[in-house]
Amino acid sequence: MDNSIQVISKYALEGLDVQALHNEALAAKQTLESGTGLGNDFLGWLHLPSSIDEQQLQALEQTAGILRQECEYVITIGIGGSYLGAKAIIEALSDHFAAYKSGNGPKVLFAGSNIGEDYLYDLMDLVRGHKFGIIVISKSGTTTEPGIAFRIFKDMLEKQEGKQFAQRNIVAVTDARRGALRNLATQEGYATYVIPDDVGGRFSVLTPVGLLPIAVAGFDIRALVAGAVEMEKDGDEQVLNYAIARNALYQNGKKIEILANFTPRLHFLAEWWKQLYGESEGKGHKGIFPASVDFTTDLHSMGQMIQDGERTLFETVLSVGDQQHEVLIPSDEADLDGLNYLAGKNVDYVNKMAELGTRLAHVDGGVPNLLITIPTVNERYLGQLIYFFEKACGVSGYMLGVNPFDQPGVEAYKKNMFALLEKPGYEEATAAIKARF
Ligand code: PA5
């Protein structure tokens, strides 16, 4: 495949013997592809890109078209895997200041990914008096955060624009049969899309969970899917390189992986990546802790710790070839700021030198450095990256010896929260937790 993702481990694996891991990675890939490993009922994402057909894309584009035509704002409600993928891709492709500029189509906003009262108040304040639509996304259909947000915005929309407008401009993305959201959508007659049974939340960005909000934001979901198909067909070498490198480093005491970018638009891609790897690998008291930094910003806050703190880190730099636009540094006759040595250079040249200089400094400080390169940020390469990270996660999780496709640990806080909220059915847990006060 020309011009696509490359994983470069030149500064990561010096002195490490990775031959045995190569065989382990091949075995893990075989386990994944043959569907014989743990969690094999959640492998629907593996051949998802190539199974998306014209009919599905057209339906999504049509629904997106209605929302784009009728609404000034579209509130996408969801959390975790039902939020981060869409947020990551929309942020990566958007004008950084889109919120302050008028543009074509509605602004896509997010709710239900926190329980911040002021957040919800401010969002209600923003959409009051404006036509807005809602995409509510929940696979289980019972998650508390999006449930509360949906109840609030559904009520507001019905009161503000009437039942008919609300019915036309609320779309539910949920399980085919089960859950409160499925029942509610059927009862209210909302348009719905299905999250397949065999695709877990954090692997669902290429289902309507991600594709619908991305299409509503005006981006090319066909190119995104086409990029993912390229990786599905041709990406295994890079997938193996990444899975081998990170497991080799983990086995050599590097317990924390920092995903670093020098491209502000990739901030939420790192947030999506953290969920993908954290929720997939953190089990049985094992797993690489996924962290992220935005450089050069965080070099002025976290740089000291990375350069010189506890040596349990490795760094994976997500490096972007070309920017979309050029900004030149002007010359100044007086040169009072001493920056004339950069006059005529473009800003990204400086950023690239910062990137190289940082990588070398961190390697010298004992932080192995993996490099993942993409030619530029567009739908095609983001599609490639999504599939690349997903497949590498499956291979890597099997190499680690965990089930990468479940998340039993996320239930613990919910049980306590429901007990404290005195949710019906939690009476015993409520008594037990009160006894701990
Ligand atoms: O990856 C996951 O499974 C989770 O992050 C879920 O996506 C998240 O908890 C939201 O769940 P649901 O879509 O059921 O509301």
Side-chain angles (χ1 to χ4, degrees):
M1 201 181 355
D2 289 341
N3 289 336
S4 67
I5 296 173
Q6 296 288 322
V7 179
I8 299 162
S9 47
K10 182 173 173 197
Y11 295 116
L13 301 178
E14 276 163 346
L16 300 184
D17 178 11
V18 295
Q19 191 46 45
L21 279 178
H22 195 82
N23 295 336
E24 262 183 53
L26 284 174
K29 182 169 102 69
Q30 165 65 17
T31 304
L32 184 71
E33 288 172 347
S34 60
T36 50
L38 293 168
N40 57 4
D41 44 348
F42 279 97
L43 294 179
W45 57 272
L46 194 57
H47 298 296
L48 178 69
S50 59
S51 74
I52 298 173
D53 60 25
E54 180 60 28
Q55 215 184 345
Q56 287 167 289
L57 290 169
Q58 269 182 22
L60 287 161
E61 285 166 347
Q62 202 180 355
T63 305
I66 295 170
L67 290 167
R68 282 177 67 77
Q69 206 173 350
E70 296 213 20
C71 304
E72 288 171 73
Y73 297 101
V74 174
I75 303 176
T76 296
I77 296 179
I79 194 166
S82 293
Y83 156 63
L84 284 163
K87 175 78 177 167
I89 301 302
I90 291 171
E91 287 272 323
L93 294 170
S94 294
D95 179 325
H96 296 85
F97 301 99
Y100 308 101
K101 296 179 181 173
S102 52
N104 270 342
K107 297 203 184 304
V108 176
L109 307 166
F110 292 87
S113 60
N114 58 52
I115 325 179
E117 189 159 3
D118 287 349
Y119 182 98
L120 289 170
Y121 178 91
D122 289 347
L123 186 52
M124 290 169 77
D125 194 39
L126 177 71
V127 299
R128 189 168 293 114
H130 296 273
K131 294 239 175 335
F132 71 93
I134 300 172
I135 303 172
V136 53
I137 307 169
S138 177
K139 186 172 188 197
S140 63
T142 55
T143 308
T144 308
E145 293 90 333
I148 291 172
F150 183 52
R151 183 182 272 224
I152 289 169
F153 285 105
K154 173 181 182 288
D155 177 66
M156 182 175 176
L157 186 60
E158 286 174 351
K159 286 182 178 143
Q160 187 172 292
E161 305 295 339
K163 267 263 187 198
Q164 270 189 355
F165 181 94
Q167 195 206 35
R168 259 199 335 274
N169 288 286
I170 294 177
V171 183
V173 184
T174 189
D175 185 89
R177 293 168 297 278
R178 290 178 297 268
L181 182 56
R182 168 57 59 187
N183 297 337
L184 195 152
T186 307
Q187 195 127 337
E188 299 280 5
Y190 299 148
T192 59
Y193 284 90
V194 169
I195 309 174
D197 283 345
D198 56 359
V199 179
R202 60 191 175 274
F203 289 85
S204 71
V205 54
L206 296 171
T207 73
V209 169
L211 295 180
L212 183 59
I214 293 166
V216 171
F219 299 115
D220 183 354
I221 56 173
R222 287 166 191 269
L224 189 77
V225 170
V229 171
E230 288 176 324
M231 260 293 140
E232 180 188 331
K233 297 214 161 118
D234 252 340
D236 282 357
E237 189 186 337
Q238 303 310 323
V239 161
L240 289 170
N241 285 346
Y242 183 46
I244 290 168
R246 58 199 304 283
N247 277 281
L249 292 162
Y250 180 64
Q251 288 176 14
N252 279 275
K254 303 300 180 188
K255 307 289 186 193
I256 300 166
E257 178 177 9
I258 304 175
L259 189 70
N261 75 76
F262 286 76
T263 311
R265 58 175 71 250
L266 294 182
H267 172 83
F268 271 96
L269 194 85
E271 297 299 314
W272 168 81
W273 170 89
K274 282 194 285 196
Q275 187 205 355
L276 181 64
Y277 281 79
E279 224 168 52
S280 298
E281 292 193 327
K283 285 155 204 176
H285 298 178
K286 292 194 279 194
I288 298 169
F289 185 91
S292 66
V293 284
D294 298 317
F295 287 160
T296 61
T297 310
D298 291 335
L299 287 171
H300 298 260
S301 57
M302 294 298 288
Q304 174 64 37
M305 174 58 93
I306 297 169
Q307 187 69 44
D308 213 16
E310 180 97 20
R311 300 298 71 187
T312 47
L313 313 172
F314 70 96
E315 190 168 56
T316 300
V317 171
L318 190 49
S319 179
V320 175
D322 294 328
Q323 297 287 297
Q324 314 294 320
H325 307 285
E326 186 176 66
V327 176
L328 296 177
I329 299 169
S331 155
D332 184 276
E333 210 176 320
D335 195 25
L336 294 176
D337 53 11
L339 285 174
N340 266 357
Y341 75 104
L342 294 175
K345 301 270 194 297
N346 66 314
V347 172
D348 195 48
Y349 164 77
V350 180
N351 204 25
K352 291 282 188 295
M353 295 307 109
E355 180 181 311
L356 185 55
T358 303
R359 289 179 56 222
L360 294 175
H362 290 175
V363 169
D364 291 345
V367 179
N369 189 276
L370 269 172
L371 185 68
I372 298 177
T373 62
I374 57 167
T376 190
V377 178
N378 63 20
E379 285 93 334
R380 176 186 171 197
Y381 296 124
L382 288 169
Q384 289 190 4
L385 261 188
I386 288 167
Y387 189 83
F388 160 79
F389 276 132
E390 286 180 353
K391 188 154 186 191
C393 183
V395 173
S396 202
Y398 280 154
M399 289 175 77
L400 188 67
V402 300
N403 175 357
F405 307 115
D406 66 359
Q407 55 284 327
V410 300
E411 295 309 313
Y413 95 91
K414 291 185 193 168
K415 191 176 158 217
N416 286 346
M417 180 178 75
F418 292 144
L420 290 163
L421 289 169
E422 303 190 26
K423 182 175 175 171
Y426 283 78
E427 292 75 9
E428 236 178 82
T430 303
I433 207 162
K434 281 193 172 163
R436 290 174 67 183
F437 290 168

